[in-house]
């Protein structure tokens, strides 16, 4: 398993350098519309309203209900993360809310380093700002920039380090084993993932993890042009943790309709009716945790 990870890391060095060129010379539609700010910077620099509502005393768009929550940036509370060095984290979703996973934002400072997840816990990271060096058990390291991600299977020794400020979003879950299916560590980037079929829907879908049975969750990247919306009014057993990376729109959760914008986090419990419409002048992109491949029983 480690050997495979090393091969992935080594091959990644080459694919990454070519991807960087592609990134500059052929920007996606997402980039052409937005201003000159760095990709996803609204997640951590998200005060856009002319009235600056977020700064009104006592005002928050955050909501916490039985089957969903909206946690907007002015409500994120950062503190030390267990075993991490020079890093502050904000847990935005945790089992206290009813989830079987945690989702947190981690702000790495100079000379920062991650701690390991708990025993039997898998970890997924996605870079929002800056760059981090990911090192596997044998010391081979790989630099992940904005829009890149890594997956670490349970009990896989690794570190995430940075010598300059960086921000990542992290998902962790106690791995649900299936006999004869072993998840592999991986590193990759969103722009390398193919667009997938979405029958009956107009949004664009990419999946960041393989769909094979070894993986008990996936991370979807979903893109909407302004005015596009979900066709299916979904109600399902899966749970979701969502980070709005770009754009703004209306999220319906149960009987409530929420104006949302980049930087917002949403918790969706199993069976909460859910629906999204992208509005505003710029495309929406969001990142979505979804548990898959396991029987609910
Ligand atoms: C990244 O993902 C693409 C598409 O899934 C795949 O073809 C490629 O081999 C992956 N790169 C690495 C370094 O794993």
């Amino acid at each position: 398993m480690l050997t495979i990870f090393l091969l992935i890391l080594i091959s990644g060095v080459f694919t990454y350098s070519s991807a960087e060129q592609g990134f500059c010379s052929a920007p996606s539609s997402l980039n052409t519309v937005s201003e000159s700010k760095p990709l996803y910077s609204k997640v951590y620099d998200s005060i856009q309203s002319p009235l600056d509502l977020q700064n009104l005393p006592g005002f928050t768009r955050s909501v916490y209900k039985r089957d969903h929550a909206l946690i907007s940036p002015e409500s994120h509370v950062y503190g030390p993360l267990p075993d991490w060095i020079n890093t502050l984290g904000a847990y935005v979703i945790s089992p206290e809310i009813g989830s079987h996973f945690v989702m947190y934002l981690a702000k790495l400072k100079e000379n920062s380093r991650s701690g390991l997840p708990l025993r039997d816990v898998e970890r997924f990271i996605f870079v929002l700002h800056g760059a981090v060096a990911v090192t596997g058990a044998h010391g081979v390291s790989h630099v992940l920039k904005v829009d890149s991600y890594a997956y670490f299977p349970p009990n896989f020794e690794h570190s995430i380090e940075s010598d300059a400020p960086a921000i990542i979003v992290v998902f962790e879950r106690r791995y649900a084993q299936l006999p004869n299916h072993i998840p592999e560590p991986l590193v990759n980037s969103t722009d390398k993932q193919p667009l997938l079929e979405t029958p009956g829907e107009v949004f664009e879908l990419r999946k960041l993890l393989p769909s094979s049975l070894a993986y008990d969750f996936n991370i979807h990247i979903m893109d909407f042009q302004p005015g596009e919306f979900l066709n299916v009014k979904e109600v399902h057993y899966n749970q979701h943790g969502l980070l709005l990376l770009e754009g703004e729109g209306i999220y319906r959760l149960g009987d409530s309709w929420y104006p949302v914008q980049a930087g917002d986090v949403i918790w969706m419990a199993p069976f909460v009716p859910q629906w999204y419409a992208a509005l505003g002048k710029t495309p929406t992109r969001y990142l979505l945790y979804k548990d898959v491949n396991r029987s609910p029983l």
Side-chain angles (χ1 to χ4, degrees):
M1 189 174 81
L2 294 184
T3 321
I4 293 170
F5 187 46
L6 293 182
L7 286 175
I8 290 171
L9 287 178
I10 292 162
S11 64
V13 171
F14 298 104
T15 41
Y16 263 84
S17 51
S18 58
E20 257 175 44
Q21 290 161 10
F23 199 71
C24 296
S25 57
S28 72
S29 58
L30 199 72
N31 295 331
T32 50
V33 178
S34 60
E35 52 304 319
S36 57
K37 286 188 178 171
L39 190 61
Y40 306 147
S41 64
K42 292 190 205 79
V43 171
Y44 50 88
D45 182 20
S46 63
I47 310 301
Q48 308 179 70
S49 157
L51 292 172
D52 211 2
L53 285 175
Q54 278 91 337
N55 285 336
L56 282 180
F59 177 84
T60 179
R61 290 184 296 111
S62 294
V63 169
Y64 173 46
K65 295 201 177 173
R66 184 190 63 80
D67 55 6
H68 67 269
L70 166 63
I71 303 136
S72 47
E74 74 278 3
S75 306
H76 297 175
V77 177
Y78 285 85
L81 288 169
D83 297 330
W84 291 57
I85 297 167
N86 286 338
T87 303
L88 290 176
Y91 286 97
V92 283
I93 297 177
S94 77
E96 285 80 1
I97 212 169
S99 66
H100 61 214
F101 65 93
V102 294
M103 171 178 176
Y104 55 99
L105 296 160
K107 289 186 174 169
L108 293 91
K109 296 184 260 190
E110 290 83 6
N111 305 317
S112 50
R113 185 188 164 93
S114 62
L116 286 173
L118 297 175
R119 183 159 178 76
D120 299 333
V121 169
E122 57 193 330
R123 172 182 279 169
F124 175 93
I125 68 164
F126 181 95
V127 181
L128 298 166
H129 171 64
V132 298
V134 166
T135 306
H138 284 195
V140 176
S141 100
H142 191 82
V143 174
L144 300 187
K145 296 181 182 167
V146 173
D147 222 26
S148 298
Y149 59 90
Y151 169 81
F152 308 103
N155 309 319
F156 180 83
E157 270 201 39
H158 66 274
S159 72
I160 303 153
E161 295 175 57
S162 185
D163 49 18
I167 305 177
I168 60 177
V169 56
V170 186
F171 294 86
E172 291 172 3
R173 175 183 180 183
R174 197 165 296 280
Y175 180 63
Q177 289 194 12
L178 264 196
N180 306 320
H181 293 279
I182 312 280
E184 297 290 340
L186 55 91
V187 293
N188 216 313
S189 61
T190 303
D191 59 313
K192 300 248 187 57
Q193 303 316 310
L195 286 178
L196 302 174
E197 294 288 320
T198 56
E201 299 283 0
V202 289
F203 62 83
E204 293 186 335
L205 171 66
R206 293 176 173 84
K207 296 186 180 182
L208 301 188
L209 293 178
S211 52
S212 51
L213 288 179
Y215 299 87
D216 62 357
F217 71 88
N218 214 319
I219 301 290
H220 295 183
I221 297 285
M222 294 169 62
D223 289 305
F224 300 76
Q225 295 304 313
E228 291 182 345
F229 53 88
L230 289 170
N231 178 40
V232 177
K233 283 68 81 170
E234 292 190 348
V235 176
H236 53 58
Y237 80 92
N238 318 74
Q239 36 185 275
H240 287 315
L242 180 153
L243 175 63
L244 202 54
L245 294 167
E246 294 281 344
E248 58 194 40
I250 302 273
Y251 229 103
R252 177 191 174 162
L253 299 163
D255 290 335
S256 303
W257 305 67
Y258 300 105
V260 292
Q261 64 182 4
D264 287 348
V265 170
I266 294 173
W267 152 244
M268 289 176 246
F271 297 105
V272 66
Q274 52 199 254
W275 177 86
Y276 180 66
L279 299 170
K281 295 185 176 129
T282 57
T284 285
R285 168 170 281 190
Y286 60 69
L287 176 157
L288 185 77
Y289 169 99
K290 180 181 187 179
D291 53 307
V292 293
N293 289 333
R294 297 294 181 271
S295 163
L297 279 179

